[in-house]
């Protein structure tokens, strides 16, 4: 009895210490697995490279990114992928010494990849979660949000072709489908039944899915069967998690759904899931984030999430991250689509960005490198230490939601005069908000953006001490509700070659550092 009470106390204390979100910012569609006392979690990445960030934790509270599953271009074709496309929800599983990650690459347009089938679903494997991970093994069964379930040497794949949860057995080594796909559940009637995961507990197979779409109506439902192929009976208490309810409707946290279950080392069950935080009204611009909630199993054999109460917000402590560019960029840095490796050069403690002929609005591999915005209130600044511009060239920082929704604050060469420009790109409309002539100091140009969660405020400096305010832009203009997409804001550095004088050489800008501090 004493041991049971001690374990219960430890579990309760662990739940009280959990932050939410556990992985903030644009980190949607979480999937989790436990290997001994280690937990590994992956999220979707859409049009960004590298893809599928992977995190490690020992306590389900403190998470560290240890890499990206898809970090080679042979694994991740992203030709002109938009914020609606690219890498959708991944699932991570561990079985008999091997890590498996299965996901969907939507709309890459590259059907010439060796071994690729008509489906967009593929799987990669690794002996260690940090990698290296294999090249893709392409799969036959379609739909999105594929998942794997292993039992007695067999590997089952589940996904949602035709809005129906569908199951088949596959060879995990080759990906070959071993039997016909079989429909097993259509959900409870909500739209877009997706994100299926299968678990075995006691005599039952449990099928966890999401319904309602990844917006306000998002929810998690569950069904069970004594046979993996069904028939599945729905939980009478569905949905087991949603904030589209009277209890949850006033929470800043909305869109709760797309979950995955895990049992910790103490035998306690948890649910990781995505949700987003509304700011400045019914808008979210940070993207869908990863949250966690405790799960108890009732006497009727059904799981109960968070005692059927809404999820409380308990954000992590503000973080500060400074990149000096004196070593390779960390795994948190991402590029748009497949980057042109010749456009990025680390040298002498600086990051040189060579200008691309493609602007951020064109969605064609622009020169851009950035990190996710993970808190509503923050300040980010950088220094352009040196540059070589022809007429029309520019470089600077960007608040980037997607190609049809981003803000650029830059140093620009216009007919030999240097200017600071602030530009809002919104739904194919380019609005020049500030165009200020300056005399750049030989020491460089400093650019800064800060936010309180309601507005982005931009400024610049010619000496690194006195900053000149440019303009404030409403954060809701960078929200998913305004511009669309499935992602969140990424704060980045970019360079654009607008000059037609290509024979004079490729323009560039040298960035000395990037400093990001949350408040």
């Amino acid at each position: 009895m004493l041991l049971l009470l001690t374990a219960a106390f430890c579990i309760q204390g662990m739940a009280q210490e959990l932050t939410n979100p556990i992985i903030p910012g644009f980190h949607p569609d979480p999937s989790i697995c436990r290997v001994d006392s280690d937990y590994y979690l992956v999220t979707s990445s859409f049009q960004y490279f590298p893809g599928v960030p992977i995190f490690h934790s020992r306590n389900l509270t403190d998470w560290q990114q240890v890499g990206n599953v898809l970090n080679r271009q042979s694994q991740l074709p992203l030709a002109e992928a938009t914020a609606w496309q690219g890498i959708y929800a991944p699932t991570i599983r561990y079985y008999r010494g091997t890590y498996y990650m299965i996901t969907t690459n939507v709309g890459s347009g590259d059907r010439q990849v060796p071994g690729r089938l008509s489906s967009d679903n593929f799987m990669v494997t690794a002996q260690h979660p940090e990698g290296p991970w294999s090249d893709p093994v392409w799969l036959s069964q379609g739909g999105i949000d594929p998942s794997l379930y292993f039992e007695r040497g067999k590997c089952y794949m589940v996904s949602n072709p035709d809005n129906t949860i569908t199951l088949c057995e596959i060879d995990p080594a080759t990906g070959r489908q071993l039997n016909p796909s079989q429909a097993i559940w259509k959900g409870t009637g909500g739209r877009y039944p997706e994100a299926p995961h299968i678990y075995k507990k006691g005599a039952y197979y449990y099928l966890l899915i999401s319904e309602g779409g990844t917006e306000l109506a998002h929810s998690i439902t569950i069904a069970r069967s004594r046979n993996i192929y069904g028939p599945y009976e729905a939980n009478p208490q569905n949905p087991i998690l949603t904030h589209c309810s009277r209890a949850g409707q006033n929470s800043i946290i909305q869109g709760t759904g797309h979950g995955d279950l895990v049992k910790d080392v103490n035998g306690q069950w948890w649910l990781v899931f995505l949700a987003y935080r509304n700011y400045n009204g019914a808008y979210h611009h940070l993207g869908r984030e990863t949250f966690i909630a405790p799960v108890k199993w009732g006497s009727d054999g059904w799981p109960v999430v968070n005692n059927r109460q809404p999820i409380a917000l308990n954000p992590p402590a503000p973080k500060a991250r400074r990149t000096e560019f004196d070593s390779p960029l960390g795994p948190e840095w991402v590029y748009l689509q497949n980057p042109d490796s010749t456009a990025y050069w680390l040298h002498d403690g600086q990051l040189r960005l060579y200008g691309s002929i493609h602007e951020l609005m064109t969605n064609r591999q622009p020169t851009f490198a950035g990190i996710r915005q993970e808190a509503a209130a923050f300040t980010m600044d950088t220094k352009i230490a040196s540059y070589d511009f022809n007429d029309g060239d520019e470089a600077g920082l960007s608040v980037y939601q997607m190609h049809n929704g981003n803000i650029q604050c830059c140093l620009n060469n216009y007919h030999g005069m240097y200017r600071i420009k602030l530009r809002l790109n919104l739904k194919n409309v380019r609005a020049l908000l500030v165009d200020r002539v300056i005399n750049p100091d030989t020491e460089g140009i400093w650019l800064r953006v800060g936010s309180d969660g309601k507005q982005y405020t931009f400024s610049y400096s010619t000496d690194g001490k006195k900053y000149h305010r440019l303009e404030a832009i409403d954060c809701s203009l960078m929200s998913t509700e305004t511009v669309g997409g499935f992602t969140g804001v990424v704060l980045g550095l970019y360079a654009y070659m607008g000059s037609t004088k290509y024979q004079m050489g490729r323009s560039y800008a040298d960035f000395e550092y990037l400093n990001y501090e949350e408040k």
Side-chain angles (χ1 to χ4, degrees):
M1 179 63 71
L2 180 61
L3 290 175
L4 289 174
L5 289 174
T6 302
F9 176 81
C10 291
I11 292 169
Q12 182 180 9
M14 187 177 185
Q16 291 174 345
E17 295 171 1
L18 286 173
T19 60
N20 257 326
I22 53 172
I23 305 180
F26 158 48
H27 293 107
D29 307 318
S31 176
I32 190 171
C33 72
R34 177 173 69 87
V35 181
D36 298 325
S37 59
D38 295 289
Y39 303 90
Y40 297 99
L41 186 150
V42 293
T43 67
S44 53
S45 50
F46 293 89
Q47 82 273 39
Y48 287 97
F49 184 95
V52 188
I54 182 167
F55 298 84
H56 170 256
S57 176
R58 282 291 185 95
N59 58 11
L60 294 174
T61 298
D62 303 306
W63 293 87
Q64 179 182 2
Q65 187 174 351
V66 295
N68 293 277
V69 173
L70 307 175
N71 58 14
R72 303 189 304 275
Q73 303 217 20
S74 62
Q75 298 170 308
L76 186 55
L78 289 171
E80 299 186 27
T82 69
W84 302 100
Q85 299 172 323
I87 296 297
Y88 276 32
T91 294
I92 186 170
R93 294 292 184 258
Y94 176 81
Y95 187 68
R96 294 183 177 177
T98 298
Y99 292 86
Y100 296 82
M101 192 284 295
I102 183 173
T103 188
T104 313
N105 188 346
V106 175
S108 75
D110 189 350
R111 294 288 175 183
Q112 306 304 313
V113 174
R116 183 160 186 173
L117 305 174
S118 58
S119 165
D120 290 328
N121 293 320
F122 69 92
M123 176 175 62
V124 293
T125 59
Q127 300 305 305
H128 306 281
E130 298 85 358
W133 291 76
S134 70
D135 278 344
V137 173
W138 294 95
L139 305 166
S140 297
Q141 184 168 286
I144 61 171
D145 303 352
S147 182
L148 297 173
Y149 173 73
F150 293 90
E151 184 179 50
R152 293 195 295 268
K154 292 186 175 183
C155 177
Y156 297 91
M157 172 186 171
V158 62
S159 59
N160 75 333
D162 302 318
N163 284 314
T164 302
I165 307 305
T166 302
L167 180 71
C168 70
E169 185 182 347
I170 66 171
D171 181 338
T174 65
R176 183 171 65 91
Q177 187 166 327
L178 301 180
N179 63 350
S181 298
Q182 182 171 324
I184 58 174
W185 198 38
K186 289 183 177 289
T188 64
R191 67 174 185 164
Y192 306 138
E194 58 193 11
H197 295 298
I198 291 177
Y199 316 88
K200 184 74 176 292
K201 187 176 187 297
Y204 286 102
Y205 295 92
Y206 288 86
L207 174 58
L208 186 79
I209 74 167
S210 289
E211 301 183 51
T214 187
E215 299 93 20
L216 282 174
H218 212 195
S219 65
I220 295 178
T221 58
I222 196 167
R224 70 186 180 189
S225 172
R226 292 183 181 273
N227 187 308
I228 194 169
Y229 285 100
Y232 282 83
E233 60 167 327
N235 182 355
Q237 298 297 318
N238 278 330
I240 61 173
L241 177 64
T242 186
H243 274 201
C244 189
S245 61
R246 282 181 292 177
Q249 64 181 340
N250 294 321
S251 173
I252 188 177
I253 301 171
Q254 293 297 325
T256 55
H258 201 115
D260 196 6
L261 290 165
V262 68
K263 184 169 69 171
D264 71 17
V265 294
N266 298 309
Q268 165 72 34
W269 287 76
W270 301 89
L271 177 76
V272 295
F273 59 95
L274 72 78
Y276 56 81
R277 290 179 279 174
N278 277 335
Y279 292 97
N280 206 13
Y283 298 95
H284 74 281
H285 59 290
L286 300 187
R288 299 168 298 157
E289 309 173 285
T290 293
F291 289 73
I292 194 168
V295 175
K296 295 180 179 179
W297 293 84
S299 58
D300 57 0
W302 292 109
V304 177
V305 178
N306 204 45
N307 287 325
R308 296 194 177 94
Q309 297 301 309
I311 307 302
L313 181 67
N314 183 27
K319 71 178 65 171
R321 177 186 296 143
R322 185 178 178 91
T323 304
E324 295 285 356
F325 302 131
D326 53 1
S327 60
L329 299 183
E332 72 276 10
W333 281 80
V334 294
Y335 309 87
L336 284 165
Q337 302 157 340
N338 298 109
D340 174 4
S341 60
T342 67
Y344 307 86
W345 182 32
L346 288 169
H347 74 103
D348 301 325
Q350 298 178 344
L351 172 62
R352 174 167 293 183
L353 298 184
Y354 287 98
S356 168
I357 61 173
H358 301 298
E359 300 179 84
L360 293 182
M361 291 182 68
T362 63
N363 198 49
R364 295 183 63 188
Q365 294 174 282
T367 298
F368 173 94
I371 59 175
R372 292 163 171 85
Q373 181 186 342
E374 297 183 352
F378 77 97
T379 299
M380 186 186 82
D381 59 90
T382 189
K383 176 186 176 182
I384 302 178
S386 59
Y387 45 89
D388 184 5
F389 290 169
N390 296 316
D391 185 19
D393 297 340
E394 67 183 44
L397 60 83
S398 176
V399 174
Y400 188 94
Q401 176 66 256
M402 63 182 299
H403 71 282
N404 270 339
N406 57 78
I407 308 167
Q408 296 168 275
C409 181
C410 67
L411 174 67
N412 173 276
N413 180 350
Y414 182 74
H415 297 322
M417 293 186 295
Y418 282 92
R419 298 170 177 264
I420 295 293
K421 291 190 175 185
L422 181 63
R423 187 182 300 119
L424 172 64
N425 300 320
L426 190 62
K427 294 186 175 181
N428 296 319
V429 175
R430 169 180 289 191
L432 183 60
L433 305 180
V434 176
D435 186 1
R436 185 174 300 177
V437 177
I438 63 168
N439 293 313
D441 190 277
T442 56
E443 293 296 318
I445 294 293
W446 287 257
L447 302 174
R448 174 178 291 173
V449 57
S451 179
D452 59 359
K454 295 182 179 180
Q455 292 182 315
Y456 290 109
T457 301
F458 295 84
S459 57
Y460 77 96
S461 173
T462 56
D463 59 10
K465 299 176 182 178
K466 181 180 180 181
Y467 277 82
H468 308 276
R469 186 180 186 275
L470 295 171
E471 190 66 80
I473 299 175
D474 199 294
C475 291
S476 66
L477 295 179
M478 292 296 103
S479 70
T480 298
E481 289 76 12
T482 299
V483 303
F486 288 136
T487 57
V489 167
V490 172
L491 305 167
L493 309 175
Y494 80 97
Y496 167 62
M497 185 166 61
S499 171
T500 58
K501 302 175 182 178
Y502 302 133
Q503 68 275 12
M504 296 180 65
R506 195 173 183 183
S507 64
Y508 67 83
D510 288 331
F511 293 86
E512 190 169 295
Y513 67 88
L514 182 79
N515 191 58
Y516 170 82
E517 295 184 13
E518 297 172 354
K519 300 177 181 178

